[in-house]
Amino acid sequence: MGSNRSDQAAAERGTPRAGDRAAAGTPPPADNMGVEFRVDWLTLTIAAPVDWCVEQVQELLGVQGVFEEAGHGAQGYKRMMLGPGGIVVLGDPVTVDDTWGTRATVRLPGRACAAFGVGGLRSLAQRVGERRHQVARLDLAFDHQLFSSATFFEAIRSGEVRTLAKRETFRQLRDLNDQGTVYVGGRTSARMLRVYDKPELGEGVCRVELETKNDRAQAIWQDLLAHEDDQWANRGLAHLRDYVDVERAWWHQLVATVERAGLVLAKRIDLGYRQAREWVLKQVAPMLAVIVAANSGDLGELESIVKAGMPRLKARHRALIAEALN
């Protein structure tokens, strides 16, 4: 589908076109130096047919018939649908996974996330929450005029950047227009930071972009959904601080309103609620039946076991509860 048609459809449905900065999502808090926050990428894998996913996206955007068959698949799928704002929906997996059954992947780049807005993304999450799903990638972006990519790299070279990334992943690139991009973290890592100049958005504008994947992306996404729309910017900065902090005044201005999120992932956070329940039925249920039988059919002992487990809930357990309730 051509970009002109996509932009025309966006205009007709009253959603922002690609490049419209006002479409970002949440307004900046009053005390964070005018930093503009946006969700800049979202990839979801959903236990649903590709046509169901296309239908949900079109309903939320208020359009119909704007997706086109690409004629081929990608990333392990046989089918690809292309929509407005660069949206891609992949379906009909080449290899069927018994734990997923029918599944599809919805990829929303920055333009599409802007068209949805925070409210639309939340509505999408509510619809998807009725099915098994996994966030494969989530990017959070912060546009500001507090520092440049060169200033940020200077802080790295001075040893004033605290990050969980390995030092060998730090790098700086410049394009033919002398616009720079600084990378912190590996391309295949769960988190990677990009800091790059964005003069097309205004003089001196620089973007700080946190790219997250898989378990980390899923956990941050759930955290955002647990907060009100106007808190997404601060929560995003809190997760940014989990990964990187800089001992410079301009960085303190950027993150002045937030503390670190302190999000720690458990090793098995990827185990879904339904799979956990199936495991309990197969592996634990017989022994629970033994306990009940030994107590003459009294279920009180099971209640005691559950109460004993509640104080021991960890991050992976809370993630399963959140998945079941969404």
Side-chain angles (χ1 to χ4, degrees), residues 147-222:
F147 55 88
S148 67
S149 65
T151 304
F152 186 84
F153 194 68
E154 178 190 349
I156 288 179
R157 297 182 65 177
S158 300
E160 295 176 273
V161 174
R162 176 205 63 82
T163 178
L164 299 176
K166 296 180 179 179
R167 187 170 184 83
E168 55 264 30
T169 66
F170 301 169
R171 56 201 186 279
Q172 180 188 42
L173 301 177
R174 286 193 173 277
D175 61 21
L176 296 178
N177 296 318
D178 202 33
Q179 303 302 324
T181 302
V182 176
Y183 296 90
V184 176
R187 192 68 185 83
T188 60
S189 302
R191 287 177 288 191
M192 183 178 72
L193 186 72
R194 285 185 293 270
V195 179
Y196 55 101
D197 304 314
K198 294 282 288 183
E200 65 271 25
L201 297 183
E203 183 178 356
V205 173
C206 178
R207 174 169 293 181
V208 176
E209 190 170 87
L210 179 65
E211 177 181 321
T212 67
K213 300 184 184 71
N214 303 323
D215 294 352
R216 177 66 57 175
Q218 177 76 24
I220 293 177
W221 180 240
Q222 289 176 341

Side-chain angles (χ1 to χ4, degrees), residues 4 12 22 29 35 53 58 61 76 79 84 102-104 111 113 131-132 147 162 171 212 224 240 242 265 276 296 324:
N4 290 338
E12 291 174 352
V35 176
C53 295
Q58 291 188 145
L61 291 179
R79 191 177 174 195
T102 301
R103 73 181 188 276
R111 291 175 296 163
C113 290
R131 300 169 178 263
R132 185 186 177 191
F147 55 88
R162 176 205 63 82
R171 56 201 186 279
T212 67
L224 290 177
L240 172 65
D242 271 359
L265 298 186
S296 303

Side-chain angles (χ1 to χ4, degrees), residues 62-258:
V63 296
Q64 293 296 325
V66 296
F67 276 82
E68 295 181 350
E69 292 273 4
H72 57 83
Q75 299 176 351
Y77 290 97
K78 301 176 185 176
R79 191 177 174 195
M80 177 187 291
M81 300 286 289
L82 303 180
I87 300 174
V88 176
V89 181
L90 301 167
D92 296 348
V94 174
T95 303
V96 177
D97 186 340
D98 292 337
T99 62
W100 278 91
T102 301
R103 73 181 188 276
T105 292
V106 178
R107 192 166 66 210
L108 305 177
R111 291 175 296 163
C113 290
F116 272 88
V118 171
L121 292 175
R122 187 183 294 278
S123 295
L124 177 63
Q126 290 172 346
R127 298 189 182 198
V128 169
E130 299 174 359
R131 300 169 178 263
R132 185 186 177 191
H133 64 280
Q134 172 68 44
V135 177
R137 177 177 165 184
L138 174 67
D139 292 7
L140 308 178
F142 310 88
D143 295 336
H144 64 88
Q145 294 175 298
L146 298 172
F147 55 88
S148 67
S149 65
T151 304
F152 186 84
F153 194 68
E154 178 190 349
I156 288 179
R157 297 182 65 177
S158 300
E160 295 176 273
V161 174
R162 176 205 63 82
T163 178
L164 299 176
K166 296 180 179 179
R167 187 170 184 83
E168 55 264 30
T169 66
F170 301 169
R171 56 201 186 279
Q172 180 188 42
L173 301 177
R174 286 193 173 277
D175 61 21
L176 296 178
N177 296 318
D178 202 33
Q179 303 302 324
T181 302
V182 176
Y183 296 90
V184 176
R187 192 68 185 83
T188 60
S189 302
R191 287 177 288 191
M192 183 178 72
L193 186 72
R194 285 185 293 270
V195 179
Y196 55 101
D197 304 314
K198 294 282 288 183
E200 65 271 25
L201 297 183
E203 183 178 356
V205 173
C206 178
R207 174 169 293 181
V208 176
E209 190 170 87
L210 179 65
E211 177 181 321
T212 67
K213 300 184 184 71
N214 303 323
D215 294 352
R216 177 66 57 175
Q218 177 76 24
I220 293 177
W221 180 240
Q222 289 176 341
D223 180 68
L224 290 177
L225 293 173
H227 290 80
E228 297 296 329
D229 294 1
D230 60 1
Q231 288 298 308
W232 280 34
N234 276 354
R235 292 308 300 169
L237 286 170
H239 290 291
L240 172 65
R241 290 199 67 193
D242 271 359
Y243 186 59
V244 63
D245 247 337
V246 184
E247 289 302 322
R248 290 286 182 94
W250 40 259
W251 182 266
H252 294 163
Q253 290 179 316
L254 176 70
V255 299
T257 62
V258 298

